[in-house]
mmCIF file of all heavy atoms in Angstrom:
data_model
loop_
_atom_site.group_PDB
_atom_site.id
_atom_site.type_symbol
_atom_site.label_atom_id
_atom_site.label_comp_id
_atom_site.label_asym_id
_atom_site.label_seq_id
_atom_site.Cartn_x
_atom_site.Cartn_y
_atom_site.Cartn_z
ATOM 1 N N VAL U 179 58.116 -85.799 220.234
ATOM 2 C CA VAL U 179 57.287 -84.591 219.887
ATOM 3 C C VAL U 179 56.404 -84.140 220.973
ATOM 4 O O VAL U 179 55.476 -83.293 220.687
ATOM 5 C CB VAL U 179 56.569 -84.783 218.542
ATOM 6 C CG1 VAL U 179 57.452 -85.062 217.356
ATOM 7 C CG2 VAL U 179 55.549 -85.897 218.696
ATOM 8 N N SER U 180 56.617 -84.446 222.267
ATOM 9 C CA SER U 180 55.644 -84.109 223.257
ATOM 10 C C SER U 180 56.388 -83.899 224.676
ATOM 11 O O SER U 180 57.263 -84.628 225.002
ATOM 12 C CB SER U 180 54.489 -85.110 223.428
ATOM 13 O OG SER U 180 53.572 -84.592 224.299
ATOM 14 N N VAL U 181 55.866 -82.836 225.250
ATOM 15 C CA VAL U 181 56.425 -82.419 226.580
ATOM 16 C C VAL U 181 55.288 -82.229 227.644
ATOM 17 O O VAL U 181 54.266 -81.699 227.302
ATOM 18 C CB VAL U 181 57.184 -81.011 226.442
ATOM 19 C CG1 VAL U 181 57.706 -80.493 227.783
ATOM 20 C CG2 VAL U 181 58.351 -81.234 225.522
ATOM 21 N N ASP U 182 55.455 -82.717 228.820
ATOM 22 C CA ASP U 182 54.529 -82.509 229.914
ATOM 23 C C ASP U 182 54.824 -81.047 230.480
ATOM 24 O O ASP U 182 55.958 -80.692 230.753
ATOM 25 C CB ASP U 182 54.703 -83.438 231.009
ATOM 26 C CG ASP U 182 54.339 -84.875 230.760
ATOM 27 O OD1 ASP U 182 53.567 -85.083 229.856
ATOM 28 O OD2 ASP U 182 54.839 -85.809 231.417
ATOM 29 N N ILE U 183 53.763 -80.284 230.643
ATOM 30 C CA ILE U 183 53.763 -78.992 231.428
ATOM 31 C C ILE U 183 53.169 -79.204 232.739
ATOM 32 O O ILE U 183 52.054 -79.652 232.849
ATOM 33 C CB ILE U 183 53.014 -77.953 230.656
ATOM 34 C CG1 ILE U 183 53.511 -77.698 229.173
ATOM 35 C CG2 ILE U 183 53.114 -76.605 231.414
ATOM 36 C CD1 ILE U 183 52.691 -76.726 228.428
ATOM 37 N N LEU U 184 54.055 -78.927 233.791
ATOM 38 C CA LEU U 184 53.667 -79.232 235.225
ATOM 39 C C LEU U 184 53.790 -77.924 235.959
ATOM 40 O O LEU U 184 54.597 -77.075 235.622
ATOM 41 C CB LEU U 184 54.547 -80.254 235.778
ATOM 42 C CG LEU U 184 54.554 -81.645 235.083
ATOM 43 C CD1 LEU U 184 55.688 -82.458 235.693
ATOM 44 C CD2 LEU U 184 53.217 -82.312 235.288
ATOM 45 N N PRO U 185 53.113 -77.789 237.070
ATOM 46 C CA PRO U 185 53.344 -76.669 237.987
ATOM 47 C C PRO U 185 54.893 -76.636 238.430
ATOM 48 O O PRO U 185 55.410 -77.731 238.615
ATOM 49 C CB PRO U 185 52.407 -76.925 239.228
ATOM 50 C CG PRO U 185 51.355 -77.800 238.671
ATOM 51 C CD PRO U 185 52.009 -78.666 237.608
ATOM 52 N N LYS U 186 55.472 -75.589 238.620
ATOM 53 C CA LYS U 186 56.849 -75.407 238.915
ATOM 54 C C LYS U 186 57.141 -76.131 240.212
ATOM 55 O O LYS U 186 56.423 -75.963 241.240
ATOM 56 C CB LYS U 186 57.266 -73.897 239.147
ATOM 57 C CG LYS U 186 58.703 -73.646 239.287
ATOM 58 C CD LYS U 186 59.361 -73.876 237.986
ATOM 59 C CE LYS U 186 60.858 -73.513 238.013
ATOM 60 N NZ LYS U 186 61.572 -73.851 236.834
ATOM 61 N N GLY U 187 58.132 -77.014 240.182
ATOM 62 C CA GLY U 187 58.595 -77.728 241.396
ATOM 63 C C GLY U 187 57.719 -78.916 241.704
ATOM 64 O O GLY U 187 57.941 -79.662 242.639
ATOM 65 N N GLY U 188 56.701 -79.204 240.856
ATOM 66 C CA GLY U 188 55.927 -80.438 241.030
ATOM 67 C C GLY U 188 56.647 -81.695 240.630
ATOM 68 O O GLY U 188 57.480 -81.633 239.664
ATOM 69 N N SER U 189 56.525 -82.718 241.373
ATOM 70 C CA SER U 189 57.148 -83.973 240.966
ATOM 71 C C SER U 189 56.459 -85.141 241.649
ATOM 72 O O SER U 189 55.749 -84.988 242.542
ATOM 73 C CB SER U 189 58.677 -83.938 241.413
ATOM 74 O OG SER U 189 58.709 -83.958 242.822
ATOM 75 N N LYS U 190 56.799 -86.261 241.195
ATOM 76 C CA LYS U 190 56.276 -87.548 241.883
ATOM 77 C C LYS U 190 56.704 -87.600 243.305
ATOM 78 O O LYS U 190 55.971 -87.939 244.308
ATOM 79 C CB LYS U 190 56.874 -88.794 241.146
ATOM 80 C CG LYS U 190 56.200 -89.028 239.729
ATOM 81 C CD LYS U 190 56.701 -90.391 239.329
ATOM 82 C CE LYS U 190 56.157 -90.620 237.876
ATOM 83 N NZ LYS U 190 56.561 -92.008 237.261
ATOM 84 N N ALA U 191 57.988 -87.075 243.631
ATOM 85 C CA ALA U 191 58.515 -87.084 244.969
ATOM 86 C C ALA U 191 57.600 -86.240 245.890
ATOM 87 O O ALA U 191 57.333 -86.625 247.009
ATOM 88 C CB ALA U 191 59.892 -86.529 244.928
ATOM 89 N N LYS U 192 57.148 -85.034 245.331
ATOM 90 C CA LYS U 192 56.314 -84.187 246.260
ATOM 91 C C LYS U 192 54.940 -84.870 246.405
ATOM 92 O O LYS U 192 54.402 -84.866 247.498
ATOM 93 C CB LYS U 192 56.026 -82.846 245.475
ATOM 94 C CG LYS U 192 57.215 -81.992 245.375
ATOM 95 C CD LYS U 192 57.295 -81.106 246.620
ATOM 96 C CE LYS U 192 58.548 -80.160 246.626
ATOM 97 N NZ LYS U 192 58.644 -79.224 245.520
ATOM 98 N N GLY U 193 54.425 -85.566 245.421
ATOM 99 C CA GLY U 193 53.120 -86.234 245.680
ATOM 100 C C GLY U 193 53.247 -87.420 246.586
ATOM 101 O O GLY U 193 52.411 -87.560 247.443
ATOM 102 N N ILE U 194 54.353 -88.122 246.415
ATOM 103 C CA ILE U 194 54.597 -89.258 247.420
ATOM 104 C C ILE U 194 54.773 -88.751 248.824
ATOM 105 O O ILE U 194 54.262 -89.372 249.772
ATOM 106 C CB ILE U 194 55.806 -89.978 246.922
ATOM 107 C CG1 ILE U 194 55.505 -90.845 245.676
ATOM 108 C CG2 ILE U 194 56.455 -90.856 248.049
ATOM 109 C CD1 ILE U 194 56.722 -91.490 245.022
ATOM 110 N N GLU U 195 55.446 -87.569 248.955
ATOM 111 C CA GLU U 195 55.596 -87.018 250.323
ATOM 112 C C GLU U 195 54.299 -86.771 250.980
ATOM 113 O O GLU U 195 54.117 -87.062 252.226
ATOM 114 C CB GLU U 195 56.424 -85.598 250.158
ATOM 115 C CG GLU U 195 56.860 -85.036 251.361
ATOM 116 C CD GLU U 195 57.593 -83.783 251.115
ATOM 117 O OE1 GLU U 195 58.540 -83.756 250.314
ATOM 118 O OE2 GLU U 195 57.204 -82.758 251.627
#
Side-chain angles (χ1 to χ4, degrees):
V179 296
S180 190
V181 174
D182 292 334
I183 301 174
L184 301 168
K186 190 74 180 174
S189 70
K190 289 186 185 184
K192 288 272 176 66
I194 285 172
E195 192 180 301

